[in-house]
Amino acid sequence: RLLTNKMKHFFLAYLKSNIHVSVCLIFYSLTISLKNDLLLTSNHILLMFLFVFGAYNFINFNEKKFSYQSKQSSKKLIFFYSFAFIFLSMVIFYFFGIIEQIIFLVLSLIIVLYSVPVFGKSSMRKNVVFKLLSVPISWATLIVLFPFHYVMELTTLIYYYIIIFLIIFAQMIPFEIRDFESDKKHFKNIIEIYGLNTIKNLGYCCLILVFLISFLMNENQIDFDLLVVAITLSILIKKATEKQKVYYSSFIVESLPVFWFFLVLNL
């Protein structure tokens, strides 16, 4: 029982520290590289991991900073993230070109706007449209444009950007359902505005679009691994509830890109 409890604590820390989401997001890029026989460099993988890890923890810590933590803790956090941003900036300006540098700066700006009350008392996260679009745009940019803009044809690049955007948009829905009760204390959640069934149907429509775009792009041939991923995510959206199990979204839904990678690997 002691060993089981330690494993649970370790697993919970693994999820809460945002290591899991940082690792999973890389698997989207790994899957694209595998499907197109492209090289994903270790520099890209490392920076993607660090950026996602830093971004999610920056958002989480800022929520606490502006709500509960002392001014002294806030100063420490500001110092830590300033140091981390300078370090990542130095790395990207040394190892990468101008396009990657622009992507890095734009994504950093979106994350700041998402989590820091720059223009008033609240951040742009309370704006439903900004929240719905900023997450899939940011991660599709990081997953597709950042590593593949120089090795992939423009049409293929646009295709994967749209596919990843739609998948991540649909993947957000179980999280929005899970966070409905906690979100409505501070701002309007999309579930509160549009209703649970409408949002789920929107997710299904996104995944149908994924299949149709893939079908047309592949000259009327079915991309079976992508179809399986779309069906799987549809089932996960359907089964998502406000009182879902602790690890349903944060582990199972989040692990979708890992599932897709091994599906492609086996096929």
Side-chain angles (χ1 to χ4, degrees):
R1 182 176 295 179
L2 181 62
L3 181 62
T4 304
N5 288 335
K6 284 185 177 180
M7 290 175 66
K8 285 181 179 179
H9 286 306
F10 175 81
F11 185 64
L12 190 61
Y14 166 73
L15 294 179
K16 286 193 172 182
S17 65
N18 294 303
I19 294 175
H20 184 65
V21 63
S22 305
V23 171
C24 287
L25 217 66
I26 293 170
F27 274 88
Y28 275 124
S29 295
L30 288 171
T31 302
I32 293 171
S33 67
L34 184 63
K35 286 172 71 70
N36 294 274
D37 196 24
L38 299 172
L39 176 66
L40 185 64
T41 68
S42 57
N43 286 338
H44 281 100
I45 292 172
L46 178 61
L47 194 68
M48 288 168 69
F49 174 83
L50 291 174
F51 188 86
V52 176
F53 179 76
Y56 272 97
N57 282 296
F58 179 76
I59 292 167
N60 288 346
F61 285 143
N62 267 284
E63 287 177 359
K64 295 176 183 178
K65 182 178 73 174
F66 292 111
S67 300
Y68 310 107
Q69 291 184 340
S70 66
K71 291 182 179 180
Q72 188 63 33
S73 297
S74 299
K75 289 178 181 178
K76 290 180 180 178
L77 285 172
I78 290 169
F79 175 79
F80 171 77
Y81 281 112
S82 297
F83 174 80
F85 180 80
I86 292 169
F87 173 75
L88 283 174
S89 299
M90 290 173 63
V91 170
I92 196 167
F93 276 88
Y94 183 81
F95 288 104
F96 296 97
I98 185 67
I99 295 177
E100 288 94 341
Q101 293 166 14
I102 292 171
I103 290 171
F104 174 75
L105 291 173
V106 169
L107 293 181
S108 299
L109 177 61
I110 291 173
I111 289 163
V112 170
L113 292 174
Y114 186 90
S115 58
V116 178
V118 177
F119 301 113
K121 294 182 179 180
S122 61
S123 67
M124 290 294 290
R125 185 181 181 182
K126 290 189 177 182
N127 184 296
V128 176
V129 175
F130 182 86
K131 183 182 180 182
L132 283 178
L133 296 181
S134 63
V135 175
I137 286 175
S138 297
W139 297 148
T141 301
L142 188 67
I143 290 162
V144 181
L145 293 187
F146 181 71
F148 301 121
H149 69 88
Y150 62 100
V151 294
M152 193 177 279
E153 292 183 2
L154 182 59
T155 52
T156 309
L157 194 71
I158 294 171
Y159 163 72
Y160 275 108
Y161 189 93
I162 294 171
I163 291 296
I164 296 298
F165 174 90
L166 291 170
I167 289 175
I168 291 180
F169 187 94
Q171 197 178 1
M172 286 173 59
I173 290 173
F175 291 90
E176 292 294 321
I177 296 170
R178 180 197 67 182
D179 297 337
F180 171 64
E181 288 297 329
S182 58
D183 280 353
K184 72 178 184 180
K185 296 175 183 177
H186 307 287
F187 51 85
K188 285 189 176 182
N189 182 287
I190 58 169
I191 309 299
E192 184 180 357
I193 297 171
Y194 300 108
L196 183 60
N197 290 332
T198 301
I199 295 304
K200 284 191 174 186
N201 289 334
L202 181 60
Y204 303 144
C205 289
C206 286
L207 296 172
I208 290 169
L209 269 176
V210 166
F211 172 73
L212 292 176
I213 293 170
S214 170
F215 187 70
L216 294 173
M217 184 68 181
N218 290 288
E219 299 177 350
N220 298 334
Q221 292 184 356
I222 297 174
D223 189 336
F224 284 101
D225 58 89
L226 189 56
L227 177 61
V228 171
V229 167
I231 293 171
T232 303
L233 185 50
S234 297
I235 294 169
L236 290 173
I237 292 171
K238 182 176 177 57
K239 290 185 174 294
T241 62
E242 294 173 25
K243 296 181 179 180
Q244 58 190 250
K245 292 183 179 179
V246 178
Y247 304 125
Y248 184 79
S249 290
S250 58
F251 182 72
I252 297 174
V253 177
E254 202 75 81
S255 298
L256 184 73
V258 181
F259 169 70
W260 189 11
F261 174 80
F262 283 105
L263 190 64
V264 173
L265 199 63
N266 290 329
L267 290 176

